[in-house]
């Protein structure tokens, strides 16, 4: 939501952050509960918790996973 909000601000949008976040959560809920092709990770997906990590730290984790393969 933060990335999208910053993008919309640059484009001149006056949308409030809380509304944008609510819209994204609602859309994701609808997408994950639909009958055909619900939005969800693949069974063999590797999830990386990126909260509070820099891009460099995330990249390091990804490269570590790839080199372990």
């Amino acid at each position: 939501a933060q990335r999208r909000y910053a993008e919309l601000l640059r484009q001149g949008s006056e949308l409030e952050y809380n509304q944008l976040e609510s819209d994204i959560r609602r859309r994701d809920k609808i997408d994950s509960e639909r009958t055909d092709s619900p939005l969800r990770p693949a069974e063999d997906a590797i999830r990386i918790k990126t909260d509070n990590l820099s891009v460099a730290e995330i990249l390091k984790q990804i490269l570590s996973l790839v080199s372990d393969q």
Side-chain angles (χ1 to χ4, degrees):
Q2 291 174 347
R3 179 190 55 78
R4 182 68 175 138
Y5 183 68
E7 181 180 298
L8 291 171
L9 285 179
R10 284 191 301 274
Q11 295 173 1
S13 174
E14 295 182 14
L15 182 65
E16 291 187 25
Y17 179 81
N18 290 340
Q19 182 61 49
L20 174 64
E21 186 177 36
S22 175
D23 290 349
I24 290 171
R25 287 183 192 280
R26 183 181 49 76
R27 184 202 64 212
D28 287 352
K29 182 175 178 4
I30 290 168
D31 289 349
S32 64
E33 294 176 349
R34 66 182 175 227
T35 303
D36 294 325
S37 301
L39 177 65
R40 64 177 159 232
E43 289 183 23
D44 61 346
I46 298 171
R47 298 178 121 191
I48 299 174
K49 186 173 170 100
T50 60
D51 298 351
N52 304 314
L53 295 180
S54 68
V55 172
E57 291 168 322
I58 297 167
L59 179 58
K60 184 177 179 181
Q61 285 191 30
I62 293 169
L63 293 175
S64 174
L65 290 166
V66 171
S67 68
D68 290 346
Q69 298 290 326

